[in-house]
PDB file of all heavy atoms in Angstrom:
ATOM      1  N   GLY G 996      43.435  48.091  36.982  1.00 92.00           N
ATOM      2  CA  GLY G 996      44.619  47.439  36.430  1.00 92.00           C
ATOM      3  C   GLY G 996      45.108  48.049  35.136  1.00 92.00           C
ATOM      4  O   GLY G 996      45.717  47.359  34.304  1.00 92.00           O
ATOM      5  N   ALA G 997      44.839  49.343  34.955  1.00 94.00           N
ATOM      6  CA  ALA G 997      45.254  50.010  33.720  1.00 94.00           C
ATOM      7  C   ALA G 997      46.739  50.338  33.703  1.00 94.00           C
ATOM      8  O   ALA G 997      47.254  50.777  32.661  1.00 94.00           O
ATOM      9  CB  ALA G 997      44.449  51.296  33.532  1.00 94.00           C
ATOM     10  N   LEU G 998      47.411  50.152  34.812  1.00 93.00           N
ATOM     11  CA  LEU G 998      48.865  50.366  34.876  1.00 93.00           C
ATOM     12  C   LEU G 998      49.512  49.058  35.312  1.00 93.00           C
ATOM     13  O   LEU G 998      49.268  48.562  36.413  1.00 93.00           O
ATOM     14  CB  LEU G 998      49.203  51.489  35.871  1.00 93.00           C
ATOM     15  CG  LEU G 998      48.625  52.869  35.530  1.00 93.00           C
ATOM     16  CD1 LEU G 998      48.852  53.840  36.671  1.00 93.00           C
ATOM     17  CD2 LEU G 998      49.235  53.410  34.247  1.00 93.00           C
ATOM     18  N   GLU G 999      50.323  48.523  34.453  1.00 88.00           N
ATOM     19  CA  GLU G 999      50.960  47.232  34.720  1.00 88.00           C
ATOM     20  C   GLU G 999      52.422  47.441  35.123  1.00 88.00           C
ATOM     21  O   GLU G 999      53.128  48.262  34.526  1.00 88.00           O
ATOM     22  CB  GLU G 999      50.880  46.335  33.478  1.00 88.00           C
ATOM     23  CG  GLU G 999      51.308  44.898  33.731  1.00 88.00           C
ATOM     24  CD  GLU G 999      51.081  44.014  32.514  1.00 88.00           C
ATOM     25  OE1 GLU G 999      50.997  44.560  31.396  1.00 88.00           O
ATOM     26  OE2 GLU G 999      50.987  42.792  32.675  1.00 88.00           O
ATOM     27  N   ALA G1000      52.823  46.703  36.150  1.00 85.00           N
ATOM     28  CA  ALA G1000      54.187  46.839  36.669  1.00 85.00           C
ATOM     29  C   ALA G1000      55.068  45.717  36.130  1.00 85.00           C
ATOM     30  O   ALA G1000      54.721  44.538  36.223  1.00 85.00           O
ATOM     31  CB  ALA G1000      54.167  46.801  38.193  1.00 85.00           C
ATOM     32  N   TRP G1001      56.192  46.116  35.576  1.00 81.00           N
ATOM     33  CA  TRP G1001      57.213  45.159  35.139  1.00 81.00           C
ATOM     34  C   TRP G1001      58.432  45.316  36.027  1.00 81.00           C
ATOM     35  O   TRP G1001      58.956  46.411  36.194  1.00 81.00           O
ATOM     36  CB  TRP G1001      57.610  45.405  33.674  1.00 81.00           C
ATOM     37  CG  TRP G1001      56.495  45.195  32.685  1.00 81.00           C
ATOM     38  CD1 TRP G1001      55.254  44.702  32.929  1.00 81.00           C
ATOM     39  CD2 TRP G1001      56.558  45.478  31.298  1.00 81.00           C
ATOM     40  NE1 TRP G1001      54.513  44.668  31.783  1.00 81.00           N
ATOM     41  CE2 TRP G1001      55.284  45.131  30.756  1.00 81.00           C
ATOM     42  CE3 TRP G1001      57.540  45.984  30.437  1.00 81.00           C
ATOM     43  CZ2 TRP G1001      54.992  45.280  29.401  1.00 81.00           C
ATOM     44  CZ3 TRP G1001      57.230  46.129  29.093  1.00 81.00           C
ATOM     45  CH2 TRP G1001      55.976  45.777  28.585  1.00 81.00           C
ATOM     46  N   SER G1002      58.842  44.228  36.595  1.00 72.00           N
ATOM     47  CA  SER G1002      60.010  44.288  37.486  1.00 72.00           C
ATOM     48  C   SER G1002      61.326  44.278  36.717  1.00 72.00           C
ATOM     49  O   SER G1002      62.379  44.591  37.274  1.00 72.00           O
ATOM     50  CB  SER G1002      59.985  43.106  38.468  1.00 72.00           C
ATOM     51  OG  SER G1002      60.001  41.870  37.753  1.00 72.00           O
ATOM     52  N   LYS G1003      61.255  43.915  35.456  1.00 66.00           N
ATOM     53  CA  LYS G1003      62.468  43.890  34.635  1.00 66.00           C
ATOM     54  C   LYS G1003      62.253  44.702  33.368  1.00 66.00           C
ATOM     55  O   LYS G1003      61.142  44.830  32.879  1.00 66.00           O
ATOM     56  CB  LYS G1003      62.836  42.452  34.251  1.00 66.00           C
ATOM     57  CG  LYS G1003      63.205  41.568  35.441  1.00 66.00           C
ATOM     58  CD  LYS G1003      63.582  40.167  34.969  1.00 66.00           C
ATOM     59  CE  LYS G1003      63.977  39.285  36.141  1.00 66.00           C
ATOM     60  NZ  LYS G1003      64.357  37.907  35.704  1.00 66.00           N
ATOM     61  N   ILE G1004      63.329  45.244  32.882  1.00 61.00           N
ATOM     62  CA  ILE G1004      63.289  45.978  31.625  1.00 61.00           C
ATOM     63  C   ILE G1004      63.413  44.962  30.490  1.00 61.00           C
ATOM     64  O   ILE G1004      64.392  44.226  30.398  1.00 61.00           O
ATOM     65  CB  ILE G1004      64.420  47.013  31.551  1.00 61.00           C
ATOM     66  CG1 ILE G1004      64.221  48.053  32.655  1.00 61.00           C
ATOM     67  CG2 ILE G1004      64.438  47.690  30.189  1.00 61.00           C
ATOM     68  CD1 ILE G1004      65.330  49.079  32.712  1.00 61.00           C
ATOM     69  N   LEU G1005      62.388  44.925  29.650  1.00 59.00           N
ATOM     70  CA  LEU G1005      62.369  43.965  28.553  1.00 59.00           C
ATOM     71  C   LEU G1005      62.852  44.627  27.274  1.00 59.00           C
ATOM     72  O   LEU G1005      63.263  45.787  27.268  1.00 59.00           O
ATOM     73  CB  LEU G1005      60.945  43.419  28.393  1.00 59.00           C
ATOM     74  CG  LEU G1005      60.348  42.787  29.673  1.00 59.00           C
ATOM     75  CD1 LEU G1005      58.919  42.356  29.413  1.00 59.00           C
ATOM     76  CD2 LEU G1005      61.191  41.624  30.147  1.00 59.00           C
ATOM     77  N   THR G1006      62.800  43.901  26.200  1.00 56.00           N
ATOM     78  CA  THR G1006      63.342  44.416  24.935  1.00 56.00           C
ATOM     79  C   THR G1006      62.297  45.153  24.110  1.00 56.00           C
ATOM     80  O   THR G1006      62.664  45.842  23.157  1.00 56.00           O
ATOM     81  CB  THR G1006      63.900  43.248  24.101  1.00 56.00           C
ATOM     82  OG1 THR G1006      62.860  42.286  23.899  1.00 56.00           O
ATOM     83  CG2 THR G1006      65.059  42.590  24.820  1.00 56.00           C
ATOM     84  N   PHE G1007      61.021  45.039  24.444  1.00 53.00           N
ATOM     85  CA  PHE G1007      60.001  45.639  23.588  1.00 53.00           C
ATOM     86  C   PHE G1007      59.261  46.794  24.290  1.00 53.00           C
ATOM     87  O   PHE G1007      58.179  47.162  23.853  1.00 53.00           O
ATOM     88  CB  PHE G1007      58.978  44.576  23.147  1.00 53.00           C
ATOM     89  CG  PHE G1007      58.333  43.822  24.274  1.00 53.00           C
ATOM     90  CD1 PHE G1007      57.196  44.320  24.900  1.00 53.00           C
ATOM     91  CD2 PHE G1007      58.870  42.624  24.703  1.00 53.00           C
ATOM     92  CE1 PHE G1007      56.612  43.618  25.927  1.00 53.00           C
ATOM     93  CE2 PHE G1007      58.275  41.925  25.732  1.00 53.00           C
ATOM     94  CZ  PHE G1007      57.140  42.412  26.350  1.00 53.00           C
ATOM     95  N   GLU G1008      59.838  47.333  25.361  1.00 58.00           N
ATOM     96  CA  GLU G1008      59.150  48.463  25.990  1.00 58.00           C
ATOM     97  C   GLU G1008      59.155  49.697  25.104  1.00 58.00           C
ATOM     98  O   GLU G1008      58.335  50.598  25.269  1.00 58.00           O
ATOM     99  CB  GLU G1008      59.765  48.790  27.362  1.00 58.00           C
ATOM    100  CG  GLU G1008      61.187  49.295  27.318  1.00 58.00           C
ATOM    101  CD  GLU G1008      62.184  48.180  27.432  1.00 58.00           C
ATOM    102  OE1 GLU G1008      61.766  47.008  27.403  1.00 58.00           O
ATOM    103  OE2 GLU G1008      63.384  48.467  27.544  1.00 58.00           O
ATOM    104  N   GLN G1009      60.090  49.732  24.141  1.00 63.00           N
ATOM    105  CA  GLN G1009      60.120  50.873  23.239  1.00 63.00           C
ATOM    106  C   GLN G1009      58.828  50.964  22.431  1.00 63.00           C
ATOM    107  O   GLN G1009      58.394  52.050  22.057  1.00 63.00           O
ATOM    108  CB  GLN G1009      61.320  50.750  22.287  1.00 63.00           C
ATOM    109  CG  GLN G1009      61.495  51.924  21.342  1.00 63.00           C
ATOM    110  CD  GLN G1009      61.897  53.193  22.069  1.00 63.00           C
ATOM    111  OE1 GLN G1009      62.569  53.129  23.094  1.00 63.00           O
ATOM    112  NE2 GLN G1009      61.478  54.352  21.555  1.00 63.00           N
ATOM    113  N   ALA G1010      58.176  49.831  22.225  1.00 65.00           N
ATOM    114  CA  ALA G1010      56.927  49.833  21.464  1.00 65.00           C
ATOM    115  C   ALA G1010      55.809  50.561  22.218  1.00 65.00           C
ATOM    116  O   ALA G1010      54.838  51.014  21.608  1.00 65.00           O
ATOM    117  CB  ALA G1010      56.494  48.394  21.162  1.00 65.00           C
ATOM    118  N   LEU G1011      55.955  50.693  23.533  1.00 73.00           N
ATOM    119  CA  LEU G1011      54.947  51.389  24.327  1.00 73.00           C
ATOM    120  C   LEU G1011      55.126  52.905  24.290  1.00 73.00           C
ATOM    121  O   LEU G1011      54.222  53.637  24.701  1.00 73.00           O
ATOM    122  CB  LEU G1011      55.007  50.920  25.790  1.00 73.00           C
ATOM    123  CG  LEU G1011      54.767  49.422  26.019  1.00 73.00           C
ATOM    124  CD1 LEU G1011      54.990  49.089  27.478  1.00 73.00           C
ATOM    125  CD2 LEU G1011      53.349  49.043  25.581  1.00 73.00           C
ATOM    126  N   ALA G1012      56.287  53.324  23.805  1.00 77.00           N
ATOM    127  CA  ALA G1012      56.584  54.761  23.799  1.00 77.00           C
ATOM    128  C   ALA G1012      55.918  55.421  22.597  1.00 77.00           C
ATOM    129  O   ALA G1012      56.566  55.773  21.612  1.00 77.00           O
ATOM    130  CB  ALA G1012      58.100  54.976  23.776  1.00 77.00           C
ATOM    131  N   LYS G1013      54.619  55.609  22.694  1.00 83.00           N
ATOM    132  CA  LYS G1013      53.858  56.254  21.638  1.00 83.00           C
ATOM    133  C   LYS G1013      53.156  57.475  22.214  1.00 83.00           C
ATOM    134  O   LYS G1013      52.761  57.484  23.392  1.00 83.00           O
ATOM    135  CB  LYS G1013      52.825  55.288  21.052  1.00 83.00           C
ATOM    136  CG  LYS G1013      53.433  54.074  20.379  1.00 83.00           C
ATOM    137  CD  LYS G1013      52.356  53.110  19.898  1.00 83.00           C
ATOM    138  CE  LYS G1013      51.488  53.718  18.825  1.00 83.00           C
ATOM    139  NZ  LYS G1013      50.514  52.742  18.281  1.00 83.00           N
ATOM    140  N   ARG G1014      53.000  58.463  21.396  1.00 88.00           N
ATOM    141  CA  ARG G1014      52.318  59.664  21.837  1.00 88.00           C
ATOM    142  C   ARG G1014      50.844  59.337  22.117  1.00 88.00           C
ATOM    143  O   ARG G1014      50.243  58.493  21.441  1.00 88.00           O
ATOM    144  CB  ARG G1014      52.434  60.773  20.800  1.00 88.00           C
ATOM    145  CG  ARG G1014      53.872  61.221  20.556  1.00 88.00           C
ATOM    146  CD  ARG G1014      53.904  62.517  19.763  1.00 88.00           C
ATOM    147  NE  ARG G1014      53.416  63.637  20.566  1.00 88.00           N
ATOM    148  CZ  ARG G1014      54.167  64.311  21.438  1.00 88.00           C
ATOM    149  NH1 ARG G1014      55.441  63.967  21.636  1.00 88.00           N
ATOM    150  NH2 ARG G1014      53.633  65.322  22.102  1.00 88.00           N
ATOM    151  N   PRO G1015      50.248  59.986  23.103  1.00 90.00           N
ATOM    152  CA  PRO G1015      48.860  59.650  23.471  1.00 90.00           C
ATOM    153  C   PRO G1015      47.865  59.895  22.341  1.00 90.00           C
ATOM    154  O   PRO G1015      46.841  59.216  22.265  1.00 90.00           O
ATOM    155  CB  PRO G1015      48.591  60.566  24.670  1.00 90.00           C
ATOM    156  CG  PRO G1015      49.624  61.635  24.599  1.00 90.00           C
ATOM    157  CD  PRO G1015      50.823  61.014  23.981  1.00 90.00           C
ATOM    158  N   GLU G1016      48.162  60.846  21.429  1.00 90.00           N
ATOM    159  CA  GLU G1016      47.256  61.084  20.316  1.00 90.00           C
ATOM    160  C   GLU G1016      47.173  59.852  19.411  1.00 90.00           C
ATOM    161  O   GLU G1016      46.090  59.477  18.932  1.00 90.00           O
ATOM    162  CB  GLU G1016      47.708  62.293  19.493  1.00 90.00           C
ATOM    163  CG  GLU G1016      47.636  63.616  20.244  1.00 90.00           C
ATOM    164  CD  GLU G1016      48.891  63.860  21.081  1.00 90.00           C
ATOM    165  OE1 GLU G1016      49.765  62.966  21.104  1.00 90.00           O
ATOM    166  OE2 GLU G1016      48.986  64.934  21.705  1.00 90.00           O
ATOM    167  N   GLU G1017      48.320  59.211  19.188  1.00 90.00           N
ATOM    168  CA  GLU G1017      48.349  58.020  18.360  1.00 90.00           C
ATOM    169  C   GLU G1017      47.623  56.856  19.048  1.00 90.00           C
ATOM    170  O   GLU G1017      46.908  56.078  18.396  1.00 90.00           O
ATOM    171  CB  GLU G1017      49.793  57.637  18.057  1.00 90.00           C
ATOM    172  CG  GLU G1017      50.559  58.703  17.272  1.00 90.00           C
ATOM    173  CD  GLU G1017      52.017  58.319  17.064  1.00 90.00           C
ATOM    174  OE1 GLU G1017      52.380  57.189  17.466  1.00 90.00           O
ATOM    175  OE2 GLU G1017      52.768  59.131  16.509  1.00 90.00           O
ATOM    176  N   VAL G1018      47.815  56.757  20.367  1.00 91.00           N
ATOM    177  CA  VAL G1018      47.126  55.700  21.119  1.00 91.00           C
ATOM    178  C   VAL G1018      45.617  55.905  21.046  1.00 91.00           C
ATOM    179  O   VAL G1018      44.842  54.952  20.887  1.00 91.00           O
ATOM    180  CB  VAL G1018      47.614  55.685  22.577  1.00 91.00           C
ATOM    181  CG1 VAL G1018      46.845  54.647  23.382  1.00 91.00           C
ATOM    182  CG2 VAL G1018      49.109  55.409  22.649  1.00 91.00           C
ATOM    183  N   ALA G1019      45.181  57.158  21.130  1.00 91.00           N
ATOM    184  CA  ALA G1019      43.750  57.456  21.087  1.00 91.00           C
ATOM    185  C   ALA G1019      43.140  57.073  19.740  1.00 91.00           C
ATOM    186  O   ALA G1019      42.020  56.535  19.680  1.00 91.00           O
ATOM    187  CB  ALA G1019      43.519  58.938  21.375  1.00 91.00           C
ATOM    188  N   LYS G1020      43.873  57.312  18.666  1.00 90.00           N
ATOM    189  CA  LYS G1020      43.368  56.935  17.340  1.00 90.00           C
ATOM    190  C   LYS G1020      43.252  55.420  17.208  1.00 90.00           C
ATOM    191  O   LYS G1020      42.293  54.906  16.618  1.00 90.00           O
ATOM    192  CB  LYS G1020      44.280  57.501  16.258  1.00 90.00           C
ATOM    193  CG  LYS G1020      44.158  58.998  16.087  1.00 90.00           C
ATOM    194  CD  LYS G1020      45.068  59.499  14.957  1.00 90.00           C
ATOM    195  CE  LYS G1020      44.929  61.005  14.766  1.00 90.00           C
ATOM    196  NZ  LYS G1020      45.782  61.509  13.664  1.00 90.00           N
ATOM    197  N   ASP G1021      44.237  54.715  17.748  1.00 91.00           N
ATOM    198  CA  ASP G1021      44.174  53.248  17.708  1.00 91.00           C
ATOM    199  C   ASP G1021      42.957  52.731  18.477  1.00 91.00           C
ATOM    200  O   ASP G1021      42.264  51.804  18.026  1.00 91.00           O
ATOM    201  CB  ASP G1021      45.448  52.651  18.292  1.00 91.00           C
ATOM    202  CG  ASP G1021      46.679  52.955  17.440  1.00 91.00           C
ATOM    203  OD1 ASP G1021      46.499  53.295  16.253  1.00 91.00           O
ATOM    204  OD2 ASP G1021      47.814  52.865  17.980  1.00 91.00           O
ATOM    205  N   LEU G1022      42.694  53.338  19.622  1.00 91.00           N
ATOM    206  CA  LEU G1022      41.544  52.905  20.421  1.00 91.00           C
ATOM    207  C   LEU G1022      40.223  53.299  19.754  1.00 91.00           C
ATOM    208  O   LEU G1022      39.227  52.588  19.874  1.00 91.00           O
ATOM    209  CB  LEU G1022      41.625  53.516  21.822  1.00 91.00           C
ATOM    210  CG  LEU G1022      42.793  53.020  22.695  1.00 91.00           C
ATOM    211  CD1 LEU G1022      42.804  53.748  24.026  1.00 91.00           C
ATOM    212  CD2 LEU G1022      42.694  51.511  22.919  1.00 91.00           C
ATOM    213  N   LEU G1023      40.220  54.428  19.058  1.00 89.00           N
ATOM    214  CA  LEU G1023      39.011  54.840  18.351  1.00 89.00           C
ATOM    215  C   LEU G1023      38.632  53.797  17.297  1.00 89.00           C
ATOM    216  O   LEU G1023      37.456  53.449  17.140  1.00 89.00           O
ATOM    217  CB  LEU G1023      39.245  56.195  17.687  1.00 89.00           C
ATOM    218  CG  LEU G1023      38.038  56.843  17.007  1.00 89.00           C
ATOM    219  CD1 LEU G1023      36.991  57.222  18.043  1.00 89.00           C
ATOM    220  CD2 LEU G1023      38.471  58.070  16.198  1.00 89.00           C
ATOM    221  N   LYS G1024      39.613  53.322  16.584  1.00 89.00           N
ATOM    222  CA  LYS G1024      39.357  52.293  15.575  1.00 89.00           C
ATOM    223  C   LYS G1024      38.955  50.983  16.226  1.00 89.00           C
ATOM    224  O   LYS G1024      38.072  50.259  15.746  1.00 89.00           O
ATOM    225  CB  LYS G1024      40.608  52.098  14.723  1.00 89.00           C
ATOM    226  CG  LYS G1024      40.414  51.108  13.586  1.00 89.00           C
ATOM    227  CD  LYS G1024      41.664  51.017  12.716  1.00 89.00           C
ATOM    228  CE  LYS G1024      41.451  50.057  11.559  1.00 89.00           C
ATOM    229  NZ  LYS G1024      42.655  49.968  10.696  1.00 89.00           N
ATOM    230  N   LYS G1025      39.577  50.674  17.372  1.00 89.00           N
ATOM    231  CA  LYS G1025      39.299  49.411  18.056  1.00 89.00           C
ATOM    232  C   LYS G1025      37.888  49.398  18.631  1.00 89.00           C
ATOM    233  O   LYS G1025      37.169  48.398  18.531  1.00 89.00           O
ATOM    234  CB  LYS G1025      40.332  49.199  19.161  1.00 89.00           C
ATOM    235  CG  LYS G1025      40.119  47.931  19.973  1.00 89.00           C
ATOM    236  CD  LYS G1025      41.208  47.792  21.027  1.00 89.00           C
ATOM    237  CE  LYS G1025      40.986  46.532  21.864  1.00 89.00           C
ATOM    238  NZ  LYS G1025      42.034  46.377  22.918  1.00 89.00           N
ATOM    239  N   TYR G1026      37.490  50.496  19.230  1.00 87.00           N
ATOM    240  CA  TYR G1026      36.194  50.547  19.899  1.00 87.00           C
ATOM    241  C   TYR G1026      35.032  50.865  18.961  1.00 87.00           C
ATOM    242  O   TYR G1026      33.950  50.298  19.082  1.00 87.00           O
ATOM    243  CB  TYR G1026      36.222  51.590  21.030  1.00 87.00           C
ATOM    244  CG  TYR G1026      37.152  51.239  22.177  1.00 87.00           C
ATOM    245  CD1 TYR G1026      37.727  52.234  22.957  1.00 87.00           C
ATOM    246  CD2 TYR G1026      37.445  49.920  22.486  1.00 87.00           C
ATOM    247  CE1 TYR G1026      38.572  51.929  24.015  1.00 87.00           C
ATOM    248  CE2 TYR G1026      38.294  49.590  23.519  1.00 87.00           C
ATOM    249  CZ  TYR G1026      38.855  50.607  24.297  1.00 87.00           C
ATOM    250  OH  TYR G1026      39.691  50.282  25.323  1.00 87.00           O
ATOM    251  N   TYR G1027      35.241  51.808  18.046  1.00 86.00           N
ATOM    252  CA  TYR G1027      34.139  52.315  17.226  1.00 86.00           C
ATOM    253  C   TYR G1027      34.247  51.945  15.742  1.00 86.00           C
ATOM    254  O   TYR G1027      33.330  52.238  14.971  1.00 86.00           O
ATOM    255  CB  TYR G1027      34.038  53.840  17.371  1.00 86.00           C
ATOM    256  CG  TYR G1027      33.799  54.268  18.798  1.00 86.00           C
ATOM    257  CD1 TYR G1027      34.854  54.704  19.593  1.00 86.00           C
ATOM    258  CD2 TYR G1027      32.528  54.211  19.352  1.00 86.00           C
ATOM    259  CE1 TYR G1027      34.647  55.088  20.917  1.00 86.00           C
ATOM    260  CE2 TYR G1027      32.308  54.596  20.668  1.00 86.00           C
ATOM    261  CZ  TYR G1027      33.373  55.030  21.449  1.00 86.00           C
ATOM    262  OH  TYR G1027      33.160  55.403  22.744  1.00 86.00           O
TER     263      TYR G1027
END
Side-chain angles (χ1 to χ4, degrees):
L998 298 172
E999 190 174 22
W1001 296 353
S1002 59
K1003 296 181 179 180
I1004 297 177
L1005 304 177
T1006 57
F1007 55 87
E1008 66 269 7
Q1009 183 68 31
L1011 300 174
K1013 297 176 64 175
R1014 297 193 70 83
E1016 294 85 357
E1017 298 176 4
V1018 177
K1020 288 182 179 181
D1021 294 341
L1022 293 177
L1023 186 66
K1024 184 176 182 179
K1025 178 179 179 181
Y1026 294 153
Y1027 301 99

